[in-house]
Amino acid sequence: LTLKYNVGALTDKDSVAGKGIYTEQYPKVRPEVAPRFHGAPRLNMDPETHDTLCIACNLCAIACPEDCIDVLAMDVEITVAGKPRKKKVLDEFIFDTSRCMFCNLCSEACPTDCLELTQSFELAVYHRSGFRWDREMLEKGINYVRYTK
């Protein structure tokens, strides 16, 4: 840092985007994230039936350059017009956030828009096992501690 920077910051001369020296009160005041920011993953649900929108097509796992998505499907026998048919149903969905580079290729490859990278950026955990998110955690979301003023 130069003397010119410090003097400009103290006198509020557009040295730090016109704000001068400032401190964000982070847990109490939420920071603004960019509109195109990609954060925590989420599996979206159908609002009417509350079932997952995922059709277990595995396109998100194929599109992922880091191979951090595992989609496990099972075949279920159903009858359509009196004929037995097999339908692929999502059994388990595992997303490893420790390997993810948040490029959003998985979300773009999804034909049903069930996988989404949200604007949530608080992904810190105490153990490595907390980075592997299963289907339940992806559908429910993270339970954040919200601080009040």
Side-chain angles (χ1 to χ4, degrees):
L1 298 176
T2 63
L3 179 63
K4 180 181 177 183
Y5 172 84
N6 288 329
V7 170
L10 290 173
T11 59
D12 197 24
K13 282 189 174 179
D14 196 61
S15 61
V16 186
K19 296 182 181 177
I21 294 177
Y22 68 100
T23 302
E24 290 186 10
Q25 304 297 318
Y26 164 57
K28 294 181 180 179
V29 179
R30 308 290 298 167
E32 294 179 19
V33 291
R36 294 179 57 191
F37 175 77
H38 301 126
R42 177 177 62 206
L43 276 179
N44 292 324
M45 309 288 285
D46 185 7
E48 296 172 359
T49 62
H50 299 291
D51 288 334
T52 184
L53 292 173
C54 184
I55 56 174
C57 64
N58 207 30
L59 288 176
C60 56
I62 294 169
C64 181
E66 293 296 320
D67 195 29
C68 61
I69 300 173
D70 292 326
V71 179
L72 303 173
M74 64 179 182
D75 291 329
V76 176
E77 301 246 352
I78 60 170
T79 55
V80 177
K83 296 180 182 179
R85 304 242 176 166
K86 285 187 178 180
K87 180 180 179 184
K88 192 188 292 187
V89 178
L90 180 67
D91 185 32
E92 192 157 346
F93 195 101
I94 299 171
F95 196 106
D96 190 359
T97 57
S98 68
R99 297 186 65 192
C100 183
M101 61 183 186
F102 304 100
C103 63
N104 204 32
L105 290 175
C106 56
S107 179
E108 292 173 1
C110 183
T112 60
D113 293 329
C114 76
L115 185 60
E116 176 184 11
L117 294 181
T118 64
Q119 299 249 318
S120 300
F121 58 88
E122 296 169 324
L123 302 176
V125 292
Y126 288 107
H127 301 285
R128 282 189 180 172
S129 61
F131 285 121
R132 291 183 57 85
W133 294 11
D134 60 351
R135 178 182 175 180
E136 179 184 344
M137 188 169 178
L138 287 166
E139 290 174 348
K140 181 180 64 170
I142 303 171
N143 188 13
Y144 293 113
V145 176
R146 300 290 182 193
Y147 295 95
T148 58
K149 292 183 180 181

